Amino acid sequence: MSTLALNNIPDDLYRRLEVVARAKRRTVGEEALDAIEKGLATEESATQQSGAFRRGYTLKQLAELQQVVPPATPDDLFGDWPAEDSIDQFLASVHEARQ
């Protein structure tokens, strides 16, 4: 079994570990190990889920899974600017919102 030494642990984090460890009747080291194991399990689960998305599906298969219709041509992605909206008003509102 390997040994891991941690340095420069922020005081508030160490105190939180102590409180949780005391409540569970564990040592701080046992609680830290448990927290690391749970954190890694969560990370591995998230990685597996995102990996499933990229697992060699074609664009058509992804569209079927998501129940959407992919565009037939790039022109299908183009839209018209609504006649009732002025591009100048739109840009002014964007500029105003960003300030």
Side-chain angles (χ1 to χ4, degrees):
M1 193 172 292
S2 299
T3 301
L4 174 67
L6 300 174
N7 297 319
N8 302 319
I9 299 171
D11 292 337
D12 62 318
L13 177 58
Y14 190 82
R15 280 191 293 273
R16 287 170 39 209
L17 273 171
E18 282 181 316
V19 168
V20 174
R22 202 173 309 125
K24 294 180 180 179
R25 297 189 175 160
R26 294 179 172 175
T27 66
V28 172
E30 290 169 333
E31 188 56 35
L33 182 59
D34 187 56
I36 291 169
E37 287 174 342
K38 287 178 181 173
L40 288 175
T42 300
E43 183 67 29
E44 289 167 355
S45 174
T47 301
Q48 288 171 355
Q49 289 173 4
S50 67
F53 179 77
R54 296 184 297 262
R55 195 169 284 133
Y57 291 119
T58 65
L59 181 60
K60 184 177 179 180
Q61 290 169 326
L62 285 172
E64 289 171 1
L65 287 170
Q66 297 175 10
Q67 299 178 347
V68 296
V69 178
T73 69
D75 291 339
D76 293 341
L77 300 173
F78 294 122
D80 291 327
W81 193 266
E84 65 275 4
D85 291 341
S86 157
I87 185 69
D88 294 325
Q89 289 173 333
F90 171 75
L91 293 175
S93 66
V94 169
H95 180 73
E96 182 180 321
R98 291 182 177 175
Q99 292 185 9

